[in-house]
Amino acid sequence: MTRHVVCRADELPPGTRRIVQAGGRSIGVYNVGGDYLAIRNRCPHQGGPLCEGVQVGAVTSRGPGDYRHERPGEIVRCPWHGWEFDLRTGASWFDPKRRRVRAYEVELLAQADLDDGLEPPLPGLVRGPYTAERVPVTVEDAFVVLDLGG
Amino acid sequence: MTAAAGRAPTPLIDCDVHNALPADDALHPYMPAEWRERRDGLSYLPAQFRNVRENLGDRSYIGAEYPRPTPRASRVDAWPPGGGPPASDLAFTRAQLLDAWNIRYAVLNPLLGIGEMLNLELAGVLARAANDWLAAEWLDRDPRLRASIIVPYEDGPAAAREIDRLGGDPRFVQVLVLSRMIEPMGRRRYWPIYEACERNGLPLAVHNGGWGGHPITPAGYPSYYIEDAAAMAGAFQAQVTSLLCEGVLQRFPTLRVVLIEGGFAWLPALMWRLDRAWRKLRAEVPALDRPPSELVRERFWVSTQPMEEPERPEQFAELLEQLGMTEHIMFSTDYPHWDFDAPAQAFPIRLPPDIARRIQHDNAADLYGLGMPAAATATGR
């Protein structure tokens, strides 16, 4: 399992997102009302930078004349052609079975839980061969951790 | 560069780029003082009131524009960081389009609403200013750029004069009109334009859009932009039919017509229908002395974006076969508009390399006289 530390939790408050490079891919990590969600920053349609698109709600209809705005901020709309994807599942809004973008698990971990299997919290640094003894100073901190799978 | 060693990448010509004015008064330096003053006469007002085209004397048909899904119908990421609307900033256009996709040539088709302005004098002045602006601020500044000549197309003789004025500049590669004009394109009021195209060896480009005072679909005024976008091929079909039946292609035997942003899956069906009708009804249109499909395949070109995408991708190959115009299809992105086609992902199927190269480069190079890249002749073939 490959994990990537995105940032400290207080650096990703509700309503914000970060685009990070992890495992050779560009991935958008979102905080939607306290839920941490992540999808790949590449639209499956024509390769547009999906996570640079706006977050919108789902406009739904139970029938003509009935319009509802639901799940605000949980749908991302590609900046190129407007294809919409569900941040929770990666499924497209218009064809959820066949058109989807890879979604990733995101965890919130305390510093104490960041074991040696993790990449360093500073992006771009490669973990060296030695590990100094650590003194946990900020044990209250939580980190947003991206789970890249397999 | 090393990855491409030994094999030149497919060069690309983008046949439809919509550069824009950076500001409403960007043409003023290119206008005669009397017209500049008339358009600028409200300069004593605060800026937010000055920027109203109606106040400046620009009038076209009301309702021409259905609200697009995004501001200025553009990709959300196409707004230049330095300000101004999408594709108004050459440096950002270079970075986001020309350099990003390694485009060898791009043809600029600014959609400025000039051709359908009801004040024909002003339309003529603005067209001239727009072309001078294109030359000075775009063509002079990047050798990869080519442009269409903007003309006041509802005033045939004035349009012809503007074509003659610029016909000697090889960077202007065609004459631009829109798919919805006051009358069908084959009608005589537009013939001076076709005559001038021939005289200057320039193709006529028909781009999706315009109004001409007619409902945006043949069935009337629809409620939504999606209806405009999906039904727009109707105007193109009417124009192809008109040009053929009015004998324009016989009267102007070297005129070539480019259909831009109109799709082309409808064209085989139209050719079949026209040929069938022609066999029975050709006495009515004696000038049309050959099966219409022959003239379409010889004299019309089409651009790719937004090409139709069949339900089963392999049907796209069948479509190309039905069309029989592989040497007349030209790649276009439609940058910076919201329905932009990314070059590598544009086609529903992987095209055979020779056909891909024709569509992405050679067809446009041939039509516009752009030649072949030195690298390709050295390493390719």
Side-chain angles (χ1 to χ4, degrees), chain B residues 153-372:
Chain B
Y153 50 72
E154 299 299 354
D155 182 349
R161 283 195 297 277
E162 185 62 6
I163 297 166
D164 287 336
R165 185 174 78 88
L166 295 164
D169 185 339
R171 301 172 305 173
F172 286 97
V173 294
Q174 63 191 2
V175 173
L176 184 65
V177 302
L178 297 186
S179 60
R180 289 178 290 249
M181 297 155 72
I182 289 181
E183 289 191 58
M185 285 185 63
R187 301 276 292 172
R188 290 176 188 234
R189 61 186 287 151
Y190 303 115
W191 288 5
I193 299 174
Y194 312 145
E195 203 175 359
C197 284
E198 268 205 324
R199 192 160 57 237
N200 293 279
L202 292 170
L204 175 78
V206 187
H207 189 284
N208 176 42
W211 193 248
H214 310 297
I216 214 156
T217 81
Y221 295 91
S223 304
Y224 304 107
Y225 172 62
I226 187 173
E227 297 178 84
D228 174 6
M232 57 82 187
F236 280 94
Q237 298 192 43
Q239 300 294 29
V240 170
T241 305
S242 172
L243 287 168
L244 289 163
C245 293
E246 297 273 5
V248 165
L249 299 173
Q250 278 84 359
R251 194 170 301 269
F252 306 103
T254 64
L255 181 67
R256 297 157 297 171
V257 184
V258 187
L259 307 177
I260 302 179
E261 205 174 341
F264 49 78
W266 47 268
L267 195 47
L270 181 65
M271 286 193 273
W272 301 335
R273 206 177 307 121
L274 276 167
D275 279 1
R276 189 191 60 184
W278 177 79
R279 284 194 288 271
K280 297 180 235 176
L281 303 171
R282 66 175 187 264
E284 190 187 15
V285 285
L288 186 54
D289 57 0
R290 297 161 60 195
S293 60
E294 283 185 18
L295 281 162
V296 168
R297 292 196 171 104
E298 281 177 24
R299 308 283 289 282
F300 283 86
W301 276 252
V302 294
S303 72
T304 55
Q305 185 283 333
M307 72 192 103
E308 293 85 351
E309 294 171 11
E311 284 174 31
R312 288 187 284 114
E314 63 271 22
Q315 289 172 328
F316 190 78
E318 296 166 23
L319 167 60
L320 291 183
E321 199 178 318
Q322 291 173 356
L323 191 63
M325 294 174 69
T326 307
E327 311 220 323
H328 284 209
I329 304 173
M330 306 193 294
F331 180 75
S332 60
T333 63
D334 195 33
Y335 180 87
H337 287 169
W338 70 276
D339 42 353
F340 160 89
D341 257 351
Q345 285 86 20
F347 296 95
I349 55 170
R350 185 177 292 277
L351 296 169
D354 56 324
I355 291 179
R357 177 166 171 123
R358 287 221 66 86
I359 292 176
Q360 290 176 332
H361 179 273
D362 293 359
N363 291 339
D366 288 345
L367 180 69
Y368 297 133
L370 299 173
M372 296 298 153

Side-chain angles (χ1 to χ4, degrees), chain B residues 13 16 24 27 54 59 90 93 117-118 136 148 153 157 179 217 223 272 278 299 319 329 334 345 370 377 379-380:
Chain B
I13 297 176
D16 193 24
D24 217 41
L27 291 183
E54 284 79 3
R59 280 275 175 195
L90 175 58
T93 304
M117 211 156 276
L118 291 169
S148 295
Y153 50 72
S179 60
T217 81
S223 304
W272 301 335
W278 177 79
R299 308 283 289 282
L319 167 60
I329 304 173
D334 195 33
Q345 285 86 20
L370 299 173
T377 48
T379 60

Side-chain angles (χ1 to χ4, degrees), chain B residues 119 133 229:
Chain B
N119 180 338
W133 165 78

Side-chain angles (χ1 to χ4, degrees), chain A residues 50-124:
Chain A
L50 179 59
C51 298
E52 290 175 23
V54 292
Q55 284 168 256
V56 296
V59 177
T60 62
S61 171
R62 270 69 167 171
D66 174 82
Y67 308 116
R68 307 175 189 205
H69 187 252
E70 298 174 328
R71 301 180 53 195
E74 295 185 20
I75 310 290
V76 64
R77 183 183 287 159
C78 182
W80 282 8
H81 304 95
W83 281 30
E84 292 173 336
F85 295 88
D86 187 333
L87 282 173
R88 292 191 183 278
T89 62
S92 63
W93 190 248
F94 63 92
D95 188 5
K97 286 197 177 117
R98 287 177 21 188
R99 299 281 192 171
R100 49 195 317 127
V101 65
R102 171 83 189 267
Y104 298 91
E105 295 293 323
V106 184
E107 300 169 280
L108 207 55
L109 294 181
Q111 177 153 17
D113 297 327
L114 296 178
D115 62 34
D116 280 349
L118 296 178
E119 293 175 37
L122 288 175

Side-chain angles (χ1 to χ4, degrees), chain B residues 63-88:
Chain B
E65 295 292 330
Y66 276 71
R68 287 347 194 220
T70 54
R72 289 191 71 109
S74 289
R75 270 169 52 174
V76 175
D77 63 346
W79 290 78
S88 65

